[in-house]
Amino acid sequence: PWCWRCSPRRGGASCPSAGQIRAAFLRFFEERHGHRRLPSAPVRPRGDPRLLFVNAGMNQFKPIFLGTVHPRSELAQHRRVVNSQKCVRAGGKHNDLEDVGRDTYHHTFFEMLGNWSFGDYFKEEACSMAWELLTEVYEIPRDRLYVTYFGGDPSLGLSADEECRDVWLRLGVPASHVLPFSLKDNFWEMGDTGPCGPCTEIHYDHVGGGRNAAALVNQGNPDVVEIWNLVFMQYSREVDGNLLPLPQHHVDTGMGLERLVTVLQNKRSNYDTDLFTPILDAIHKGCGAPRYQGLVGDADVGRVNMAYRVVSDHVRTLCVCITDGIYPGFSGAELVLRRILRRAVRFCSEVLQAPPGLLASLVPTVVEVLGDAYPELTRNANQISDIINENEAAFLSSLERGRRIIERTVQQMQPSTNFPAEVAWSLYGNLGFPLDLIDLMLEEKGMSLDSAAFNELALEDEKRKAGGPQAGQPGNTNTHLDVHSLAWLQSSNVPATDDSPKYTYTLGQHGQYEFSPCQATVLMLYRDQSLHKEVGAGQRCGVILDRTNFYAEQGGQDSDQGYMIRLGQQDVLFPVEAVHLCGGYVIHEVTAVETLRAGDQVQLFVDEAQRLACMTNHTATHLLNFALRHVLGDSTEQRGSHVTAEQLRFDFNIKGHVTVEQLQQVEQVVQDLIHKNEVVHMAEVPLTLARRVQGLRAVDEGYPDPVRIVSLGVPVENVLACDSEAAMQTSVELCCGTHLLQTGSVEDLAIISERQLVKGISRVIAVTGGRAKEAREVGQCLAMEVDSVSLRMKQKITSIPEMQNLSKEVGQLTKVVSSTAMPQWQRKELQTILKALQRTANTAIKKLELQQAEKEAQILLSKYCNQPVIIDTVPADSLSILMKVVNQLCDKSPGTSVLLLSPQASGEVLCACQVSKNCLPAFSAADWAVAVCTQMEGKAGGSPIVAKGSGNARGMQGALTTALEFAQSKL
């Protein structure tokens, strides 16, 4: 309906918009060539723990390519598909993050236009469609286009893809524009194993003018760029490296929208297209910096243009990721997104000198540019802005404080010395201060970080975290008061620590938890099993305070982490790495970055993300305890638990084993309680009163008086009422832990492990929230893979290698199912199915081997009728088959001694023999095999009756002669 042309005039009125270009691609394949148009998948991968983000259009179709798609699923029905896929390449194997901004073409977020054929059309149609779209719809001049094809690889036995070359020539592409390239450029592989095949790429010459730019293709020249890659999946890379033809051929194409728009809008940079110019204009209006000029390298004075590119790219990525449920966080994709946000904030504040809030102010512009294609952005615009603003504010505060700390530390240091690692570690670990920024700021001051010491601190932290509940147990001389120090504190009337502020938190109007800082006084310091009133800089010590909002490790819940600062000295952070309770005193394990003294006034800040995760898992533990009793019976008693930010562990007594059905029922009971969003009631009551509560669920522990009761859905005063049976109907426990205020915040719970510790005691491990959701997604994907194998196993397979490959696949799946975090009930179901499949495969292999052995034996019996010795070579896929052939011959001709060799494709020769009992003891099968295999520079072993071995093919003829001579000498 519209006409466009790549006119010589740059930015001419005839240039199409990015929206038109995207729509034309989708419409072309949908309307003209019968493709089904699919929406973009979210950038959070579903059920693929190996990927941080969706980074290619084909990710969502992997089950089809791998053959793991369930045959009854909607995905399995697709034959021709087209879409525009949101992609993020940052972190992991494909990581463009640090390159973004330095040039004009790298991005963390981009759109991949793609069309796919699943067992439908192949090279002829794929190339024809691509050429038609580019030259007839987009009207790109043909003389500016070059195509590459796979030129072959003799070392792999792969010939050139002449079929593809001939297709292009038939389409009218000049021979001088059809270029062969090697495996590196024109052979695509999904991974070390799996579907793969040759590809053909279409390149565009920005200069044109009738020149021949063939010599510049694939040479990294910015004037000649790849715009479209068409992959022809026709092979499967096996574990041994061999390539086998795929039973079904697929086409997977990908064309970056940003690069295509650059071509069609007559630009030389992606950032000069209308995908970016509105955002760049909004940045200019928001910060007042000089306008974007497209400068790079030394020409970009002050890195202003680089900042424009970084901010415009990163805000697109933030919008897309947050919309798809990936928020800035502390691990995996969330951690990568946090780095992206902080990198953008730094360029906004440091280079563009923009006021806070610039990044979030760009969200409406991003929505305007991308919202029509991805309407979910429009629906979530306000949430995106809020999350960006919250994270920006937190980071800017950390940046400012970090700068002051670095300045102050440097002023106190001697010239030309290393910056102290403990200060850098405090900045990095507690403020989230980027390590590269620390290095940059120190470099500007002519200093450097003591990297060795910093790495040592990082290693210690890893070990401490890996230690789990055992970390910091007695043996840590700074956190566990010795008996003498404890007695001195008590006799000196040093008051016990008031830790009630740890329960002071509220639920904000938007559902977020708000924790208040706590002010306290240092009462005493503890180091190397003795009390001190002062501890010097760089030393680790235990800090005893008069009050604290930190949760000390107890009741099975991990301690809080965070930091403290001295009042009036905001620039000095004392990281709190662990917290322990001893005799009523709360000891905070701290690395003193400066001298710390008794009497110092400090303010305490807990790590809110870690605390909230522990609260979630502790409340979930109570839900799980109730659910287990509900499903397994009231005799089920808790035997121990451990709550961390990552997961919860729960031990309980049980007769027999927990069944798959019971695990499902337990999860369902928990789900019901979560969906009810019950209020979590908490109150301290006298121990004598608490003991009257009917059905109170509590571990046999020594609770302080008064005790804290945690009740789900029923106020504590109702639980305490005379004759109340409320505790029989809901979860009511004595608990000193920190909890959510409503059960709905748990979101989800999945039991990912259940096993017997000892007879009568079982242990379950569960995850909540996003981790539970991820476990379920992974479980569904593995279930589909198992279904796929089951269906293939039911087909009539007559090839031993094919059945062996299927058996191997079952074995690999069994390992994955055993080791992957997924619902335990589903793991047990899949393990049962896989065990049966393995038995079926093994039986089938034995049957096929026996059939092959009988066939070979019959041929040899006909050849050597009633002869005392049979020596020959036969084809056999394995030593097992060869041995079966020997056994068959000897069974059918009892007086015959047999030795058979079988040369393999690898150059190895297999050997198997059996000696007739009539020839013993003079004739030994073991000696026979050793003599023959030694001739082939190999080894052998066995008994006087049967033996086997192997050797090298180079000595096979001599080995046959040796075999005959040896037999003749013994008979």
Side-chain angles (χ1 to χ4, degrees):
W2 59 85
C3 178
W4 58 49
R5 188 177 299 280
C6 291
S7 63
R9 294 181 297 107
R10 292 193 174 280
S14 63
C15 288
S17 69
Q20 287 176 314
I21 294 167
R22 185 195 297 110
F25 181 91
L26 298 171
R27 203 163 61 242
F28 172 81
F29 283 101
E30 184 179 17
E31 296 176 5
R32 197 175 293 188
H33 293 287
H35 287 61
R36 182 172 181 181
R37 180 173 171 177
L38 295 181
S40 169
V43 292
R44 179 189 284 280
R46 288 179 59 82
D48 192 344
R50 292 159 289 196
L51 275 183
L52 289 172
F53 304 96
V54 166
N55 57 24
M58 54 74 65
N59 288 159
Q60 65 176 309
F61 304 119
K62 270 188 181 181
I64 298 178
F65 300 139
L66 295 170
T68 59
V69 64
H70 195 290
R72 294 193 299 274
S73 69
E74 186 180 11
L75 192 60
Q77 312 312 313
H78 295 325
R79 290 295 172 264
R80 298 182 176 206
V81 166
V82 63
N83 86 338
S84 177
Q85 173 63 46
K86 299 174 291 187
C87 298
V88 174
R89 288 188 178 172
K93 179 182 175 184
H94 298 288
N95 184 9
D96 292 346
L97 180 56
E98 292 307 318
D99 292 320
V100 171
R102 299 182 193 278
D103 53 41
T104 61
Y105 51 86
H106 272 100
H107 302 291
T108 50
F109 165 75
F110 63 96
E111 297 177 69
M112 184 73 85
L113 302 173
N115 61 289
W116 288 268
S117 165
F118 307 119
D120 189 351
Y121 60 81
F122 205 45
K123 297 177 185 179
E124 179 91 34
E125 298 92 331
C127 295
S128 177
M129 291 176 200
W131 194 249
E132 179 187 0
L133 177 66
L134 294 179
T135 61
E136 295 180 22
V137 177
Y138 291 144
E139 297 186 339
I140 297 176
R142 295 170 182 241
D143 64 349
R144 290 199 180 196
L145 296 174
Y146 296 80
V147 295
T148 65
Y149 68 93
F150 179 52
D153 190 313
S155 67
L156 292 173
L158 291 173
S159 57
D161 191 359
E162 294 176 357
E163 178 189 357
C164 178
R165 178 200 65 189
D166 294 344
V167 168
W168 288 119
L169 294 174
R170 285 197 298 275
L171 287 169
V173 183
S176 60
H177 285 222
V178 182
L179 313 169
F181 278 90
S182 67
L183 195 81
K184 179 174 76 74
D185 293 306
N186 279 81
F187 196 90
W188 185 91
E189 304 203 41
M190 186 183 291
D192 294 334
T193 60
C196 57
C199 62
T200 182
E201 296 175 343
I202 305 172
H203 295 250
Y204 175 78
D205 176 17
H206 277 285
V207 176
R211 71 170 184 166
N212 189 322
L216 301 178
V217 172
N218 277 336
Q219 298 305 309
N221 189 301
D223 291 336
V224 181
V225 295
E226 174 207 335
I227 57 172
W228 205 346
N229 187 12
L230 285 65
V231 178
F232 306 121
M233 294 193 194
Q234 60 189 91
Y235 300 109
S236 175
R237 173 81 68 182
E238 300 301 300
V239 177
D240 59 9
N242 289 330
L243 291 173
L244 296 180
L246 281 174
Q248 243 188 358
H249 290 172
H250 306 299
V251 174
D252 164 20
T253 85
M255 176 159 56
L257 176 68
E258 291 78 8
R259 198 171 283 187
L260 177 64
V261 173
T262 301
V263 169
L264 296 180
Q265 292 184 357
N266 278 313
K267 306 296 183 185
R268 295 300 295 273
S269 160
N270 297 352
Y271 292 93
D272 292 334
T273 68
D274 64 346
L275 286 167
F276 287 91
T277 50
I279 305 171
L280 296 170
D281 290 342
I283 295 171
H284 172 68
K285 290 174 187 172
C287 70
R291 279 193 174 276
Y292 177 70
Q293 297 173 283
L295 302 175
V296 295
D298 294 338
D300 182 20
V301 179
R303 300 194 302 166
V304 172
N305 288 267
M306 179 179 178
Y308 268 101
R309 289 188 289 269
V310 167
V311 174
S312 61
D313 171 89
H314 287 10
V315 74
R316 284 167 29 111
T317 305
L318 287 163
C319 288
V320 168
C321 287
I322 292 169
T323 293
D324 286 349
I326 302 174
Y327 303 152
F330 298 93
S331 64
E334 285 79 7
L335 178 60
V336 175
L337 195 65
R338 182 176 184 241
R339 287 173 181 156
I340 288 171
L341 185 141
R342 293 187 162 201
R343 188 169 188 252
V345 170
R346 279 170 54 194
F347 275 94
C348 282
S349 62
E350 294 173 12
V351 181
L352 298 175
Q353 301 294 306
L358 171 66
L359 205 55
S361 75
L362 303 175
V363 172
T365 310
V366 175
V367 171
E368 186 181 333
V369 174
L370 297 174
D372 287 344
Y374 309 109
E376 60 270 22
L377 287 168
T378 308
R379 294 192 297 269
N380 291 282
N382 291 336
Q383 182 195 27
I384 297 166
S385 297
D386 290 345
I387 289 173
I388 290 175
N389 274 329
E390 287 170 15
N391 281 273
E392 180 183 31
F395 182 49
L396 286 173
S397 171
S398 298
L399 273 181
E400 189 52 42
R401 181 176 290 174
R403 280 197 196 91
R404 291 201 308 268
I405 291 172
I406 289 175
E407 291 282 354
R408 191 168 175 276
T409 306
V410 169
Q411 287 171 9
Q412 296 173 351
M413 291 173 59
Q414 297 295 322
S416 304
T417 55
N418 279 339
F419 190 80
E422 53 268 13
V423 176
W425 178 254
S426 175
L427 288 168
Y428 176 75
N430 295 294
L431 289 185
F433 206 83
L435 197 55
D436 62 327
L437 184 56
I438 295 174
D439 288 333
L440 190 65
M441 292 178 71
L442 293 179
E443 188 181 325
E444 290 168 357
K445 298 178 184 304
M447 303 184 70
S448 62
L449 174 63
D450 185 349
S451 298
F454 183 90
N455 291 336
E456 194 173 326
L457 287 171
L459 193 63
E460 281 181 27
D461 186 63
E462 280 181 24
K463 285 180 180 175
R464 183 179 57 75
K465 286 177 179 173
Q470 275 68 46
Q473 290 296 320
N476 186 328
T477 57
N478 297 328
T479 55
H480 285 80
L481 296 172
D482 66 286
V483 64
H484 304 293
S485 298
L486 192 57
W488 185 91
L489 288 169
Q490 292 166 343
S491 64
S492 302
N493 296 318
V494 175
T497 308
D498 171 19
D499 63 351
S500 60
K502 69 188 177 188
Y503 298 125
T504 307
Y505 48 88
T506 56
L507 199 55
Q509 63 183 64
H510 298 299
Q512 79 283 6
Y513 280 82
E514 296 172 351
F515 301 85
S516 301
C518 172
Q519 191 171 318
T521 303
V522 177
L523 299 179
M524 197 61 68
L525 302 162
Y526 185 69
R527 176 174 168 77
D528 295 331
Q529 291 195 301
S530 61
L531 294 164
H532 301 264
K533 293 205 170 184
E534 182 177 303
V535 167
Q539 295 185 315
R540 291 172 93 97
C541 65
V543 180
I544 302 172
L545 304 171
D546 63 335
R547 63 199 306 269
T548 183
N549 60 345
F550 275 74
Y551 183 84
E553 182 181 349
Q554 56 182 320
Q557 180 179 325
D558 265 8
S559 74
D560 282 339
Q561 294 173 359
Y563 62 93
M564 61 175 72
I565 59 172
R566 258 196 291 247
L567 286 184
Q569 198 176 6
Q570 307 295 308
D571 304 344
V572 182
L573 273 71
F574 296 88
V576 178
E577 295 161 5
V579 187
H580 296 273
L581 184 66
C582 191
Y585 299 100
V586 177
I587 300 99
H588 306 72
E589 188 178 353
V590 162
T591 299
V593 293
E594 283 194 4
T595 301
L596 199 56
R597 299 178 179 86
D600 282 349
Q601 301 291 302
V602 294
Q603 198 165 18
L604 308 171
F605 298 85
V606 298
D607 181 330
E608 295 180 6
Q610 193 239 6
R611 160 68 82 87
L612 184 56
C614 283
M615 285 164 54
T616 300
N617 286 341
H618 205 148
T619 300
T621 303
H622 285 214
L623 298 177
L624 180 64
N625 190 4
F626 172 78
L628 285 166
R629 287 173 66 100
H630 182 80
V631 173
L632 302 177
D634 285 337
S635 61
T636 306
E637 293 289 345
Q638 180 177 341
R639 294 297 180 210
S641 69
H642 184 227
V643 173
T644 70
E646 290 74 33
Q647 63 182 34
L648 62 96
R649 189 195 75 212
F650 193 84
D651 301 341
F652 58 98
N653 68 314
I654 181 176
K655 293 177 182 176
H657 295 275
V658 184
T659 66
V660 167
E661 292 73 24
Q662 286 171 331
L663 285 171
Q664 289 175 304
Q665 289 167 18
V666 168
E667 280 193 3
Q668 189 56 56
V669 172
V670 174
Q671 296 288 346
D672 293 343
L673 289 168
I674 291 170
H675 292 150
K676 285 180 183 176
N677 199 20
E678 300 275 20
V679 173
V680 181
H681 298 276
M682 291 167 275
E684 287 194 345
V685 300
L687 182 59
T688 52
L689 204 57
R691 282 180 174 147
R692 298 177 192 166
V693 177
Q694 292 185 49
L696 182 68
R697 284 174 279 285
V699 183
D700 184 22
E701 293 180 321
Y703 284 90
D705 194 2
V707 293
R708 190 170 176 82
I709 288 184
V710 178
S711 171
L712 302 185
V714 180
V716 174
E717 55 266 28
N718 293 3
V719 171
L720 294 172
C722 289
D723 301 321
S724 170
E725 293 186 358
M728 308 288 284
Q729 312 303 323
T730 187
S731 169
V732 179
E733 295 189 36
L734 301 184
C735 181
C736 60
T738 56
H739 285 271
L740 298 172
L741 302 177
Q742 290 179 275
T743 60
S745 299
V746 176
E747 296 180 355
D748 193 7
L749 178 139
I751 297 171
I752 59 170
S753 172
E754 185 276 327
R755 65 185 180 91
Q756 273 208 334
L757 292 179
V758 293
K759 191 174 175 62
I761 303 286
S762 273
R763 166 171 291 175
V764 294
I765 293 172
V767 290
T768 59
R771 289 174 186 264
K773 183 182 177 185
E774 186 176 276
R776 294 190 192 284
E777 288 177 355
V778 169
Q780 286 303 311
C781 288
L782 288 173
M784 288 171 66
E785 289 189 43
V786 172
D787 282 352
S788 172
V789 172
S790 297
L791 285 168
R792 282 180 282 150
M793 194 73 79
K794 288 173 184 174
Q795 296 167 1
K796 189 171 179 64
I797 297 174
T798 57
S799 161
I800 292 174
E802 193 177 342
M803 184 54 79
Q804 285 173 332
N805 283 338
L806 203 53
S807 173
K808 193 184 297 181
E809 194 175 334
V810 171
Q812 289 169 341
L813 255 181
T814 301
K815 286 180 183 176
V816 173
V817 167
S818 297
S819 61
T820 303
M822 61 186 291
Q824 179 68 8
W825 64 264
Q826 193 170 32
R827 188 198 320 278
K828 285 188 171 185
E829 281 189 346
L830 296 183
Q831 285 174 330
T832 301
I833 294 168
L834 287 167
K835 194 173 181 180
L837 288 174
Q838 194 69 71
R839 280 199 302 267
T840 301
N842 292 344
T843 303
I845 289 168
K846 286 178 184 175
K847 188 176 179 181
L848 289 170
E849 286 182 348
L850 202 57
Q851 287 172 356
Q852 185 178 328
E854 284 174 347
K855 184 179 175 184
E856 293 295 336
Q858 199 57 50
I859 293 169
L860 289 169
L861 280 171
S862 303
K863 185 178 176 181
Y864 299 97
C865 187
N866 296 323
Q867 292 194 21
V869 177
I870 297 175
I871 298 170
D872 209 334
T873 61
V874 295
D877 292 327
S878 67
L879 193 55
S880 170
I881 296 172
L882 190 64
M883 201 72 235
K884 285 183 173 68
V885 177
V886 170
N887 296 152
Q888 289 279 330
L889 283 168
C890 291
D891 287 346
K892 292 177 179 178
S893 180
T896 303
S897 297
V898 180
L899 183 143
L900 298 179
L901 300 180
S902 179
Q904 304 293 299
S906 62
E908 185 186 33
V909 175
L910 305 178
C911 171
C913 65
Q914 183 170 334
V915 170
S916 170
K917 290 180 181 178
N918 301 335
C919 302
L920 295 174
F923 195 177
S924 164
D927 293 343
W928 198 13
V930 168
V932 170
C933 291
T934 301
Q935 182 69 34
M936 298 188 294
E937 300 176 353
K939 293 182 179 179
S943 69
I945 296 177
V946 291
K948 56 190 176 183
S950 63
N952 196 298
R954 289 193 302 272
M956 191 172 75
Q957 289 306 318
L960 289 168
T961 304
T962 299
L964 183 59
E965 290 174 351
F966 186 93
Q968 288 173 341
S969 70
K970 301 296 180 182
L971 293 173

